[in-house]
Amino acid sequence: LAKTTQPISMDSYEGQEVNITCSHNNIATNDYITWYQQFPSQGPRFIIQGYKTKVTNEVASLFIPADRKSSTLSLPRVSLSDTAVYYCLVVTSGGYNKLIFGAGTRLAVHP
Amino acid sequence: KAGVTQTPRYLIKTRGQQVTLSCSPISGHRSVSWYQQTPGQGLQFLFEYFSETQRNKGNFPGRFSGRQFSNSRSEMNVSTLELGDSALYLCASSPPSLTGQYGYTFGSGTRLTVV
């Protein structure tokens, strides 16, 4: 499973766009990039998943360059409620269901 | 549809005791996984069950065990509790493919405190 590297923490202000970049240099052909969000004392929540180029849903966008060695989670116009830990994971298509979590990025949104 | 339900929500046990935690997955999900989360080690994979069979196991001692029933509900058991077992234990259910649109759905966890 590819190892991921992301910033330990980030700060932002309400209304700003936040971009969290994740590095996954050893990603394999059948690997997907997945992001989860976790609030204190709750389980992680799936945000978005992608394979290449750009994926957008109602809460975030995920940008993946052609070499797929990194990805960027984009949160538009964050609010205080977006303060959480964000995890970037690489999951393997067809692989056994096992998620390897890193330390994640602790995002703090300020008024 | 109902989410992943974990019971109990909180638990306090004494060293040396054993504990059983329960997880009911989303209806139709046959895969259930368990994770341990501590401040020091973060989120760590314990094991995964599919159709009552353990398919994958993390690097935890044999004191940690689990099982899955025919209705996909799962239990995990920790015997001879140690102080270091204090953690948030999370259960997650998933559809057949990890690369599906929705990924894993986690429960709110069971907060276990060993004193």
Side-chain angles (χ1 to χ4, degrees):
Chain A
L1 294 167
K3 178 178 162 53
T4 60
T5 303
Q6 52 185 121
I8 293 295
S9 63
M10 293 182 69
D11 288 275
S12 184
Y13 293 91
E14 285 189 291
Q16 289 189 332
E17 177 184 76
V18 171
N19 296 309
I20 306 174
T21 297
C22 178
S23 165
H24 26 79
N25 290 319
N26 296 323
I27 193 167
T29 303
N30 56 346
D31 287 343
Y32 287 69
I33 298 109
T34 306
W35 286 80
Y36 283 79
Q37 173 195 56
Q38 187 180 26
F39 299 111
S41 297
Q42 293 187 28
R45 180 178 76 103
F46 174 86
I47 300 175
I48 198 166
Q49 179 169 265
Y51 185 80
K52 60 181 179 181
T53 62
K54 177 183 175 182
V55 179
T56 297
N57 62 23
E58 63 276 8
V59 299
S61 294
L62 179 59
F63 300 90
I64 306 168
D67 67 5
R68 305 200 326 122
K69 292 183 184 299
S70 66
S71 59
T72 299
L73 174 73
S74 182
L75 304 173
R77 297 180 299 283
V78 293
S79 64
L80 296 177
S81 63
D82 293 315
T83 294
V85 178
Y86 293 82
Y87 295 97
C88 165
L89 295 92
V90 170
V91 298
T92 300
S93 173
Y96 288 135
N97 290 7
K98 173 181 177 178
L99 299 178
I100 305 296
F101 287 86
T105 296
R106 191 171 298 276
L107 172 66
V109 180
H110 305 281
Chain B
K1 56 184 175 181
V4 177
T5 302
Q6 290 189 247
T7 56
R9 190 78 175 87
Y10 300 93
L11 206 50
I12 300 176
K13 288 287 189 178
T14 304
R15 270 185 303 174
Q17 287 186 315
Q18 72 154 12
V19 67
T20 299
L21 312 180
S22 179
C23 171
S24 293
I26 289 176
S27 177
H29 285 190
R30 294 162 62 191
S31 170
V32 174
S33 298
W34 289 88
Y35 291 79
Q36 180 197 64
Q37 186 170 30
T38 60
Q41 299 297 317
L43 270 157
Q44 293 186 287
F45 172 79
L46 279 157
F47 28 66
E48 186 249 351
Y49 287 87
F50 181 84
S51 292
E52 302 178 65
T53 300
Q54 186 182 90
R55 289 199 303 189
N56 210 343
K57 189 176 189 305
N59 189 26
F60 278 82
R63 300 185 296 106
F64 293 81
S65 63
R67 60 177 175 169
Q68 186 180 34
F69 302 95
S70 59
N71 61 358
S72 294
R73 190 178 71 85
S74 178
E75 289 181 348
M76 70 162 280
N77 184 277
V78 187
S79 62
T80 318
L81 284 166
E82 302 176 359
L83 295 178
D85 297 333
S86 295
L88 180 66
Y89 289 89
L90 292 159
C91 165
S93 75
S94 66
S97 170
L98 259 184
T99 54
Q101 185 179 0
Y102 301 106
Y104 266 111
T105 301
F106 283 81
S108 295
T110 294
R111 171 75 62 185
L112 171 65
T113 302
V114 182
V115 297

